[in-house]
């Protein structure tokens, strides 16, 4: 993996990821994540569901970022990501993170055609005529934020901009699907940071496996991308967005 | 129909189909109602029932059901009882493939009883739905890991729905009753029953209200008070999809609670 790809995967890359717990905060509130053991079970479940979906989408976006210029592909991939995210709270979290990542990545790699095309596709979306316009209106009626691209799509295009291939894009996506929740858990449960990192170290082989499974979808039709769901993550995300006190956005 | 398995056992491969069309007087006719044991279809005034013509599904069985609802036609499909997926001797997965198409103005309610996946069994329910613009759908899926007091086997559910040529929902769930990550806090959170109820264009089907409006209200006020709900593991949520549909998703410890939770607001 290139240094440019490491930069993208680094939590210090200014894309706002620290504001999201990936469902750990509501799980701590619900009492289902309490310690290192329950955290590890949470991470394994998250990795093979949300992590696999993100890895597949990121790999697909990375594969096509250099070759696809027009909006239809990015709109199709956006619709596929929406269809894999039934929870409005999670769609919103993904789009907010995607918007922040797109801003940072466009400053880092201003010439990247994939990032430019995604930004143009997002700008063209609200108020557009034709198919999908009714959808935008009804989403506006329920107040859902649609002003950003899905995070995994931007991540894939940014990886391509950083000179990385679909395999590396999938690896960053799968790693981030569990690394962010670990640092959130350290803060929320006052866990020993070294032992928490030890949990992550034990998961690295599984992260690689999930990334490889996701990367295998890079060249296929977006409709075939993995769609593994995690019911508890959906339920927790919806409870969290309605909670009175929140440290993390999601 | 049976085919010989590599290990010698006869595996069941069966397909059944039903086609509903709207007659000139507004009633729905069923020009096609084809059964193949163990997929036996029975017509009743209330619904077409899928009655189990044999035990199972057993590991290795491959069952396909195809449902087509024409423009303006209405069809309800139910099963007579819960199905209990049992392991075969060869460790193979049993698979039920459901293929659905609904034309404009047509409506399908597919409301089967739950699938109970017995210990060591492996079962998959693979659902593919093509909805034309203006079609409506109510589709329930419930899976229970294990009979009472039994750790369940492996269950795989896949739901792929397109509406007017666009993806509406791509949703799969793979869980196993003896897998700590499945039972863990991200997936089943200690529950053995999981289910979804998908409603597409429910308002067009005469439930009333503006498209999107009733679900938005319901999403803002889920079961239980928001603050109280946040203190315990939430067990049901009403999820308005990005497209014209609502997914109710629920977890439960038993089939009765799961069914109660899988209700539209």
């Amino acid at each position: 993996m290139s240094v440019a790809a490491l930069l993208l995967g680094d939590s210090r890359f200014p894309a706002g990821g620290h504001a999201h717990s990936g469902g750990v905060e509501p799980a701590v509130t619900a009492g289902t994540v309490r310690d290192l053991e329950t955290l590890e079970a949470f991470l394994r479940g998250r990795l093979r569901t949300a992590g696999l979906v993100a890895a597949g989408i990121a790999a697909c976006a990375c594969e096509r970022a250099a070759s696809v210029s027009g909006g239809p592909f990015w709109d199709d991939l956006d619709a596929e990501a929406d269809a894999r995210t039934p929870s409005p709270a999670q769609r919103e979290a993904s789009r907010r993170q995607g918007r922040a990542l797109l801003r940072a990545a466009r400053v880092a790699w201003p010439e990247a055609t994939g990032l430019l095309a995604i930004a143009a596709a997002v700008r063209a979306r609200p108020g557009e005529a034709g198919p999908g316009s009714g959808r935008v209106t009804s989403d506006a009626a329920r107040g859902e934020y649609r002003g950003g691209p899905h995070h995994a799509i931007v991540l894939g295009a940014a990886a391509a901009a950083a000179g990385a291939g679909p395999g590396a894009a999938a690896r960053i996506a799968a790693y981030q699907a569990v690394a962010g929740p670990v640092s959130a858990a350290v803060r929320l449960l006052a866990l020993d940071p070294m032992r928490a990192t030890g949990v992550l170290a034990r998961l690295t082989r599984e992260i690689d496996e999930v990334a490889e499974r996701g990367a295998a979808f890079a060249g296929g039709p977006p409709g075939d991308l993995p769609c593994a769901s995690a019911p508890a993550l959906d339920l927790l995300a919806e409870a969290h967005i309605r909670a009175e006190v929140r440290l993390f956005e999601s | 129909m049976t085919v010989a398995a590599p290990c010698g056992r006869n595996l069941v491969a069966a397909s059944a189909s039903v086609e509903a069309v709207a007659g000139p007087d507004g009633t729905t006719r069923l020009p096609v109602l084809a059964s193949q044991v163990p997929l036996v279809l029975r017509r009743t005034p209330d619904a077409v029932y899928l009655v189990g013509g044999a035990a199972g599904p057993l590991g290795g069985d491959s069952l396909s059901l195809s449902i087509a609802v024409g423009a303006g036609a209405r069809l309800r499909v139910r099963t007579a009882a819960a199905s209990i997926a049992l392991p075969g001797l060869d460790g193979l997965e049993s698979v039920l493939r459901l293929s659905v198409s609904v034309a404009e103005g047509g409506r399908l309610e597919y409301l089967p009883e739950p699938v109970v996946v017995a210990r060591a069994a492996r079962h998959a329910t693979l659902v593919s739905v093509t909805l034309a613009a203006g079609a409506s759908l109510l589709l329930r899926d419930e899976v229970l890991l294990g009979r009472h007091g039994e750790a369940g086997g492996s269950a795989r559910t896949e739901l792929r729905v397109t509406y007017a040529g666009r993806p509406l929902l791509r949703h799969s769930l793979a869980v196993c009753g003896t897998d700590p990550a499945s039972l863990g806090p991200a997936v089943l959170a200690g529950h053995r029953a999981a289910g979804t109820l998908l409603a597409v264009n429910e308002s067009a089907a005469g439930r009333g209200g503006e498209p999107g409006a009733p679900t938005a209200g319901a999403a803002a006020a889920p079961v239980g008070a928001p603050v109280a709900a946040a203190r315990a593991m939430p067990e049901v949520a009403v999820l308005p999809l990005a497209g014209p549909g609502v997914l109710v998703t629920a977890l439960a410890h038993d089939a009765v609670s799961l069914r109660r939770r899988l209700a539209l607001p």
Side-chain angles (χ1 to χ4, degrees), chain B residues 90-114:
Chain B
D90 37 31
L92 293 174
E93 185 177 53
S94 55
V95 182
L96 171 66
R97 282 186 184 76
L98 172 65
S99 167
V100 170
S101 70
V102 184
E104 182 183 355
R107 172 171 174 82
L108 172 68
E109 294 180 12
Y110 184 77
L111 303 168
E113 296 304 304

Side-chain angles (χ1 to χ4, degrees), chain A residues 108-130:
Chain A
W109 298 286
E111 310 297 326
T113 52
L115 296 172
L116 289 169
I118 290 173
V122 170
R123 272 198 307 276
R125 234 166 260 155
E128 68 186 330

